[in-house]
Structure formats: structure tokens, C-alpha cells
Amino acid sequence: MPSFDVVSRVDMQEMDNAVNQVKKEIATRYDFRGSKTRLDFDRKEAKVEVLTEDDMKLRAIKDMLIAKAVRRSIEAEALVFGSPEKAGGDMLRQTVTIAHGIDVETARKVVKLIKDAKLKVQAAIQGDEVRVSGKKRDDLQEVIGMLKEADLGIPLQYVNYRD
């Protein structure tokens, strides 16, 4: 019986490369010259912490981070920007969380969408992914098309296809 998995994954090495490119651009840009801007990437917690002086620089870093991530095949929806908060001195801190895995609530939405489509497929939540299986390959392709059109707020990938 053919099946595939619906997952939401981010390649952390590519994210690390995107953060390093942003750091290099900050070091060379004229408007950041002499600033105390800092980016810290925590791979285990999947977070980027931005520390800078003012709101304009914070917005510029956000735009640079999104542009570099998209160029490295990381979808912009995977970056969840927290609200800026005051840090010591005249500094601002913003935490960027990288969405990794499908949470239970979103997985339930995916399963509900599949069941409401009345296709002859089964969907099962397995940890942070959803396994979809059915008798016909065409039904599975229809499910993929339907999920691509649905706006669930997180980027989805379709992996582990078995025939």
C-alpha cells in the first residue's frame, strides 16, 4: 500500500549558514559600522537571538535573515519572530524561533482536512509527522495538492514515499 509522510523540517546547517551570511553582511554594511549588533544561533533550541541598538537595525536584520534563509531553501514561514524587548542599556533583543516539526494541533488539522476530502486514504499522527496511506497513488497525489493549497501556518514537506 503506497504511503508518504507529511513533515515540517528545517535543515539546521543551512540555517547556520544563513546566520553566518547575515553576520558577514552586518560587518561590511555602512549603516551597521560601529554598532554593537550581535546574532547568536542556538542549534539545539532552534533559536536565533538578535541584539542591536535600535528598531531600524532590527528591521534590517529581520529582512536580511529572511532573504538569506529563502536563498538557502528555508521557507520564510519557518522563522517565527518574537516581539522586540528592551535589553540592558539602549539595546533591543528579539528572539527568532525556527519552527521544526508539526505540533499536535496542526497535525490534527491536517488529519481533519484529509478526512473531510472524502478520499480513500488514511492519515495517522506519528510523533511530529503525519503518515498518509492509501491504495491508489493518485489519491495520495491529490492529498499533497490539497495540503499545498491549505494555509496551515507552517511549511510542509512530503517525504518517505513508499510504493
PDB file of all heavy atoms in Angstrom, residues 7 23-25 35 38 41 50-51 56 62 82-83 91 100 102 104 107 120 122 125 132 136 143 153 161:
ATOM      1  N   VAL A   7       5.809  16.208   6.860  1.00  0.00           N
ATOM      2  CA  VAL A   7       6.683  16.691   7.926  1.00  0.00           C
ATOM      3  C   VAL A   7       6.924  18.189   7.763  1.00  0.00           C
ATOM      4  O   VAL A   7       6.611  18.771   6.725  1.00  0.00           O
ATOM      5  CB  VAL A   7       8.046  15.945   7.921  1.00  0.00           C
ATOM      6  CG1 VAL A   7       7.862  14.474   8.182  1.00  0.00           C
ATOM      7  CG2 VAL A   7       8.785  16.167   6.635  1.00  0.00           C
ATOM      8  N   LYS A  23      25.753  37.750   9.489  1.00  0.00           N
ATOM      9  CA  LYS A  23      26.836  38.333  10.298  1.00  0.00           C
ATOM     10  C   LYS A  23      27.879  39.002   9.414  1.00  0.00           C
ATOM     11  O   LYS A  23      28.367  40.101   9.727  1.00  0.00           O
ATOM     12  CB  LYS A  23      27.510  37.248  11.141  1.00  0.00           C
ATOM     13  CG  LYS A  23      26.701  36.775  12.321  1.00  0.00           C
ATOM     14  CD  LYS A  23      27.462  35.699  13.071  1.00  0.00           C
ATOM     15  CE  LYS A  23      26.682  35.139  14.230  1.00  0.00           C
ATOM     16  NZ  LYS A  23      27.403  34.075  14.934  1.00  0.00           N
ATOM     17  N   LYS A  24      28.240  38.367   8.300  1.00  0.00           N
ATOM     18  CA  LYS A  24      29.220  38.959   7.383  1.00  0.00           C
ATOM     19  C   LYS A  24      28.693  40.242   6.763  1.00  0.00           C
ATOM     20  O   LYS A  24      29.424  41.217   6.628  1.00  0.00           O
ATOM     21  CB  LYS A  24      29.570  37.966   6.262  1.00  0.00           C
ATOM     22  CG  LYS A  24      30.506  36.875   6.686  1.00  0.00           C
ATOM     23  CD  LYS A  24      30.840  35.976   5.506  1.00  0.00           C
ATOM     24  CE  LYS A  24      31.710  34.827   5.934  1.00  0.00           C
ATOM     25  NZ  LYS A  24      32.001  33.916   4.817  1.00  0.00           N
ATOM     26  N   GLU A  25      27.417  40.238   6.396  1.00  0.00           N
ATOM     27  CA  GLU A  25      26.842  41.444   5.800  1.00  0.00           C
ATOM     28  C   GLU A  25      26.771  42.578   6.813  1.00  0.00           C
ATOM     29  O   GLU A  25      27.010  43.730   6.467  1.00  0.00           O
ATOM     30  CB  GLU A  25      25.451  41.139   5.240  1.00  0.00           C
ATOM     31  CG  GLU A  25      24.892  42.281   4.433  1.00  0.00           C
ATOM     32  CD  GLU A  25      23.636  41.925   3.675  1.00  0.00           C
ATOM     33  OE1 GLU A  25      23.406  40.749   3.398  1.00  0.00           O
ATOM     34  OE2 GLU A  25      22.884  42.865   3.350  1.00  0.00           O
ATOM     35  N   SER A  35      28.417  49.651  15.345  1.00  0.00           N
ATOM     36  CA  SER A  35      27.294  49.258  16.208  1.00  0.00           C
ATOM     37  C   SER A  35      27.663  48.009  17.013  1.00  0.00           C
ATOM     38  O   SER A  35      28.593  47.286  16.679  1.00  0.00           O
ATOM     39  CB  SER A  35      26.035  48.995  15.375  1.00  0.00           C
ATOM     40  OG  SER A  35      26.159  47.788  14.672  1.00  0.00           O
ATOM     41  N   ARG A  38      24.664  41.968  17.527  1.00  0.00           N
ATOM     42  CA  ARG A  38      25.120  40.599  17.729  1.00  0.00           C
ATOM     43  C   ARG A  38      24.021  39.613  17.349  1.00  0.00           C
ATOM     44  O   ARG A  38      22.852  39.847  17.638  1.00  0.00           O
ATOM     45  CB  ARG A  38      25.488  40.413  19.196  1.00  0.00           C
ATOM     46  CG  ARG A  38      26.628  39.456  19.432  1.00  0.00           C
ATOM     47  CD  ARG A  38      27.034  39.388  20.877  1.00  0.00           C
ATOM     48  NE  ARG A  38      26.042  38.609  21.607  1.00  0.00           N
ATOM     49  CZ  ARG A  38      25.656  38.872  22.853  1.00  0.00           C
ATOM     50  NH1 ARG A  38      26.180  39.871  23.498  1.00  0.00           N
ATOM     51  NH2 ARG A  38      24.765  38.121  23.454  1.00  0.00           N
ATOM     52  N   PHE A  41      23.193  32.037  17.308  1.00  0.00           N
ATOM     53  CA  PHE A  41      22.372  30.927  16.818  1.00  0.00           C
ATOM     54  C   PHE A  41      22.564  29.734  17.735  1.00  0.00           C
ATOM     55  O   PHE A  41      23.668  29.251  17.921  1.00  0.00           O
ATOM     56  CB  PHE A  41      22.763  30.577  15.377  1.00  0.00           C
ATOM     57  CG  PHE A  41      22.019  29.403  14.810  1.00  0.00           C
ATOM     58  CD1 PHE A  41      20.636  29.389  14.775  1.00  0.00           C
ATOM     59  CD2 PHE A  41      22.698  28.318  14.301  1.00  0.00           C
ATOM     60  CE1 PHE A  41      19.946  28.316  14.249  1.00  0.00           C
ATOM     61  CE2 PHE A  41      22.021  27.237  13.770  1.00  0.00           C
ATOM     62  CZ  PHE A  41      20.646  27.234  13.741  1.00  0.00           C
ATOM     63  N   VAL A  50      18.825  38.051  18.391  1.00  0.00           N
ATOM     64  CA  VAL A  50      19.349  39.266  17.779  1.00  0.00           C
ATOM     65  C   VAL A  50      19.421  40.345  18.851  1.00  0.00           C
ATOM     66  O   VAL A  50      18.449  40.584  19.563  1.00  0.00           O
ATOM     67  CB  VAL A  50      18.432  39.735  16.619  1.00  0.00           C
ATOM     68  CG1 VAL A  50      18.973  40.996  15.991  1.00  0.00           C
ATOM     69  CG2 VAL A  50      18.258  38.640  15.591  1.00  0.00           C
ATOM     70  N   LEU A  51      20.567  41.001  18.942  1.00  0.00           N
ATOM     71  CA  LEU A  51      20.767  42.075  19.913  1.00  0.00           C
ATOM     72  C   LEU A  51      21.336  43.267  19.161  1.00  0.00           C
ATOM     73  O   LEU A  51      22.397  43.153  18.536  1.00  0.00           O
ATOM     74  CB  LEU A  51      21.735  41.608  21.007  1.00  0.00           C
ATOM     75  CG  LEU A  51      21.907  42.495  22.215  1.00  0.00           C
ATOM     76  CD1 LEU A  51      20.621  42.532  23.024  1.00  0.00           C
ATOM     77  CD2 LEU A  51      23.041  41.999  23.090  1.00  0.00           C
ATOM     78  N   MET A  56      15.318  50.342  13.725  1.00  0.00           N
ATOM     79  CA  MET A  56      15.654  50.327  12.300  1.00  0.00           C
ATOM     80  C   MET A  56      16.638  49.205  11.982  1.00  0.00           C
ATOM     81  O   MET A  56      16.475  48.470  11.001  1.00  0.00           O
ATOM     82  CB  MET A  56      16.248  51.667  11.868  1.00  0.00           C
ATOM     83  CG  MET A  56      16.477  51.742  10.379  1.00  0.00           C
ATOM     84  SD  MET A  56      18.010  52.482   9.792  1.00  0.00           S
ATOM     85  CE  MET A  56      19.273  51.943  10.845  1.00  0.00           C
ATOM     86  N   LYS A  62      16.090  41.601  10.307  1.00  0.00           N
ATOM     87  CA  LYS A  62      14.978  40.689  10.005  1.00  0.00           C
ATOM     88  C   LYS A  62      14.883  40.464   8.498  1.00  0.00           C
ATOM     89  O   LYS A  62      14.772  39.326   8.038  1.00  0.00           O
ATOM     90  CB  LYS A  62      13.670  41.283  10.541  1.00  0.00           C
ATOM     91  CG  LYS A  62      12.451  40.460  10.229  1.00  0.00           C
ATOM     92  CD  LYS A  62      11.200  41.120  10.788  1.00  0.00           C
ATOM     93  CE  LYS A  62       9.962  40.333  10.420  1.00  0.00           C
ATOM     94  NZ  LYS A  62       8.753  40.951  10.950  1.00  0.00           N
ATOM     95  N   GLY A  82       9.776  36.818  17.421  1.00  0.00           N
ATOM     96  CA  GLY A  82       9.148  37.249  18.663  1.00  0.00           C
ATOM     97  C   GLY A  82       9.075  38.764  18.709  1.00  0.00           C
ATOM     98  O   GLY A  82       9.610  39.466  17.853  1.00  0.00           O
ATOM     99  N   SER A  83       8.435  39.287  19.729  1.00  0.00           N
ATOM    100  CA  SER A  83       8.339  40.733  19.846  1.00  0.00           C
ATOM    101  C   SER A  83       9.651  41.288  20.407  1.00  0.00           C
ATOM    102  O   SER A  83      10.280  40.673  21.271  1.00  0.00           O
ATOM    103  CB  SER A  83       7.175  41.124  20.749  1.00  0.00           C
ATOM    104  OG  SER A  83       7.352  40.550  22.019  1.00  0.00           O
ATOM    105  N   MET A  91      19.791  48.839  24.226  1.00  0.00           N
ATOM    106  CA  MET A  91      19.770  47.721  23.290  1.00  0.00           C
ATOM    107  C   MET A  91      18.368  47.109  23.202  1.00  0.00           C
ATOM    108  O   MET A  91      17.583  47.181  24.136  1.00  0.00           O
ATOM    109  CB  MET A  91      20.767  46.640  23.721  1.00  0.00           C
ATOM    110  CG  MET A  91      22.191  47.135  23.896  1.00  0.00           C
ATOM    111  SD  MET A  91      22.972  47.608  22.374  1.00  0.00           S
ATOM    112  CE  MET A  91      23.562  46.035  21.824  1.00  0.00           C
ATOM    113  N   HIS A 100      10.116  23.760  13.843  1.00  0.00           N
ATOM    114  CA  HIS A 100      10.695  22.461  13.494  1.00  0.00           C
ATOM    115  C   HIS A 100       9.740  21.378  13.982  1.00  0.00           C
ATOM    116  O   HIS A 100       9.516  21.255  15.183  1.00  0.00           O
ATOM    117  CB  HIS A 100      12.071  22.346  14.160  1.00  0.00           C
ATOM    118  CG  HIS A 100      12.943  21.314  13.549  1.00  0.00           C
ATOM    119  ND1 HIS A 100      13.437  21.434  12.288  1.00  0.00           N
ATOM    120  CD2 HIS A 100      13.414  20.150  14.036  1.00  0.00           C
ATOM    121  CE1 HIS A 100      14.198  20.376  12.025  1.00  0.00           C
ATOM    122  NE2 HIS A 100      14.183  19.577  13.068  1.00  0.00           N
ATOM    123  N   ILE A 102       5.842  19.203  13.320  1.00  0.00           N
ATOM    124  CA  ILE A 102       4.425  19.560  13.304  1.00  0.00           C
ATOM    125  C   ILE A 102       3.877  19.377  14.716  1.00  0.00           C
ATOM    126  O   ILE A 102       3.967  18.291  15.280  1.00  0.00           O
ATOM    127  CB  ILE A 102       3.644  18.669  12.316  1.00  0.00           C
ATOM    128  CG1 ILE A 102       4.191  18.824  10.903  1.00  0.00           C
ATOM    129  CG2 ILE A 102       2.163  19.009  12.347  1.00  0.00           C
ATOM    130  CD1 ILE A 102       3.553  17.914   9.884  1.00  0.00           C
ATOM    131  N   VAL A 104       0.938  19.086  17.670  1.00  0.00           N
ATOM    132  CA  VAL A 104      -0.229  18.199  17.727  1.00  0.00           C
ATOM    133  C   VAL A 104      -1.464  18.883  17.143  1.00  0.00           C
ATOM    134  O   VAL A 104      -2.238  18.262  16.391  1.00  0.00           O
ATOM    135  CB  VAL A 104      -0.494  17.739  19.183  1.00  0.00           C
ATOM    136  CG1 VAL A 104      -1.750  16.901  19.276  1.00  0.00           C
ATOM    137  CG2 VAL A 104       0.696  16.971  19.711  1.00  0.00           C
ATOM    138  N   ALA A 107      -1.182  18.969  13.404  1.00  0.00           N
ATOM    139  CA  ALA A 107      -1.326  17.600  12.890  1.00  0.00           C
ATOM    140  C   ALA A 107      -2.797  17.196  12.867  1.00  0.00           C
ATOM    141  O   ALA A 107      -3.253  16.546  11.914  1.00  0.00           O
ATOM    142  CB  ALA A 107      -0.512  16.633  13.740  1.00  0.00           C
ATOM    143  N   LYS A 120     -10.076   8.052  -0.385  1.00  0.00           N
ATOM    144  CA  LYS A 120      -9.866   6.727   0.200  1.00  0.00           C
ATOM    145  C   LYS A 120      -8.427   6.600   0.684  1.00  0.00           C
ATOM    146  O   LYS A 120      -7.640   5.824   0.146  1.00  0.00           O
ATOM    147  CB  LYS A 120     -10.209   5.647  -0.815  1.00  0.00           C
ATOM    148  CG  LYS A 120     -11.678   5.634  -1.156  1.00  0.00           C
ATOM    149  CD  LYS A 120     -12.056   4.434  -1.950  1.00  0.00           C
ATOM    150  CE  LYS A 120     -13.555   4.466  -2.195  1.00  0.00           C
ATOM    151  NZ  LYS A 120     -14.044   3.222  -2.710  1.00  0.00           N
ATOM    152  N   GLN A 122      -5.918   6.942   4.516  1.00  0.00           N
ATOM    153  CA  GLN A 122      -5.909   7.005   5.972  1.00  0.00           C
ATOM    154  C   GLN A 122      -4.774   7.935   6.394  1.00  0.00           C
ATOM    155  O   GLN A 122      -3.696   7.905   5.801  1.00  0.00           O
ATOM    156  CB  GLN A 122      -5.667   5.622   6.597  1.00  0.00           C
ATOM    157  CG  GLN A 122      -6.790   4.637   6.385  1.00  0.00           C
ATOM    158  CD  GLN A 122      -6.707   3.950   5.039  1.00  0.00           C
ATOM    159  OE1 GLN A 122      -5.625   3.650   4.583  1.00  0.00           O
ATOM    160  NE2 GLN A 122      -7.847   3.727   4.407  1.00  0.00           N
ATOM    161  N   ILE A 125      -1.325  10.300  12.958  1.00  0.00           N
ATOM    162  CA  ILE A 125      -0.304  11.145  13.582  1.00  0.00           C
ATOM    163  C   ILE A 125       0.735  10.238  14.218  1.00  0.00           C
ATOM    164  O   ILE A 125       0.403   9.359  15.014  1.00  0.00           O
ATOM    165  CB  ILE A 125      -0.935  12.072  14.632  1.00  0.00           C
ATOM    166  CG1 ILE A 125      -1.981  12.975  13.991  1.00  0.00           C
ATOM    167  CG2 ILE A 125       0.143  12.894  15.324  1.00  0.00           C
ATOM    168  CD1 ILE A 125      -2.800  13.772  14.974  1.00  0.00           C
ATOM    169  N   VAL A 132       0.365   9.325   5.700  1.00  0.00           N
ATOM    170  CA  VAL A 132      -0.822   9.187   4.857  1.00  0.00           C
ATOM    171  C   VAL A 132      -0.630   7.946   4.003  1.00  0.00           C
ATOM    172  O   VAL A 132       0.399   7.807   3.338  1.00  0.00           O
ATOM    173  CB  VAL A 132      -1.025  10.434   3.968  1.00  0.00           C
ATOM    174  CG1 VAL A 132      -2.266  10.277   3.116  1.00  0.00           C
ATOM    175  CG2 VAL A 132      -1.111  11.686   4.804  1.00  0.00           C
ATOM    176  N   LYS A 136      -4.361   3.889  -3.842  1.00  0.00           N
ATOM    177  CA  LYS A 136      -4.001   4.445  -5.147  1.00  0.00           C
ATOM    178  C   LYS A 136      -3.025   5.607  -4.995  1.00  0.00           C
ATOM    179  O   LYS A 136      -3.176   6.456  -4.117  1.00  0.00           O
ATOM    180  CB  LYS A 136      -5.249   4.954  -5.878  1.00  0.00           C
ATOM    181  CG  LYS A 136      -6.218   3.876  -6.257  1.00  0.00           C
ATOM    182  CD  LYS A 136      -7.358   4.486  -7.031  1.00  0.00           C
ATOM    183  CE  LYS A 136      -8.407   3.452  -7.365  1.00  0.00           C
ATOM    184  NZ  LYS A 136      -9.568   4.078  -8.007  1.00  0.00           N
ATOM    185  N   VAL A 143      -4.012  14.354  -2.196  1.00  0.00           N
ATOM    186  CA  VAL A 143      -3.827  14.834  -0.816  1.00  0.00           C
ATOM    187  C   VAL A 143      -2.687  15.853  -0.762  1.00  0.00           C
ATOM    188  O   VAL A 143      -2.814  16.897  -0.118  1.00  0.00           O
ATOM    189  CB  VAL A 143      -3.543  13.643   0.140  1.00  0.00           C
ATOM    190  CG1 VAL A 143      -3.067  14.135   1.489  1.00  0.00           C
ATOM    191  CG2 VAL A 143      -4.790  12.797   0.306  1.00  0.00           C
ATOM    192  N   GLY A 153       0.071  27.646   8.210  1.00  0.00           N
ATOM    193  CA  GLY A 153       0.971  28.483   9.002  1.00  0.00           C
ATOM    194  C   GLY A 153       2.371  27.938   9.173  1.00  0.00           C
ATOM    195  O   GLY A 153       3.221  28.608   9.741  1.00  0.00           O
ATOM    196  N   TYR A 161       8.217   8.610   0.553  1.00  0.00           N
ATOM    197  CA  TYR A 161       7.190   7.989  -0.288  1.00  0.00           C
ATOM    198  C   TYR A 161       7.536   6.532  -0.530  1.00  0.00           C
ATOM    199  O   TYR A 161       8.644   6.212  -0.921  1.00  0.00           O
ATOM    200  CB  TYR A 161       7.058   8.738  -1.622  1.00  0.00           C
ATOM    201  CG  TYR A 161       6.010   8.121  -2.504  1.00  0.00           C
ATOM    202  CD1 TYR A 161       4.674   8.398  -2.280  1.00  0.00           C
ATOM    203  CD2 TYR A 161       6.347   7.236  -3.519  1.00  0.00           C
ATOM    204  CE1 TYR A 161       3.701   7.809  -3.055  1.00  0.00           C
ATOM    205  CE2 TYR A 161       5.378   6.642  -4.298  1.00  0.00           C
ATOM    206  CZ  TYR A 161       4.050   6.946  -4.058  1.00  0.00           C
ATOM    207  OH  TYR A 161       3.083   6.339  -4.818  1.00  0.00           O
TER     208      TYR A 161
END
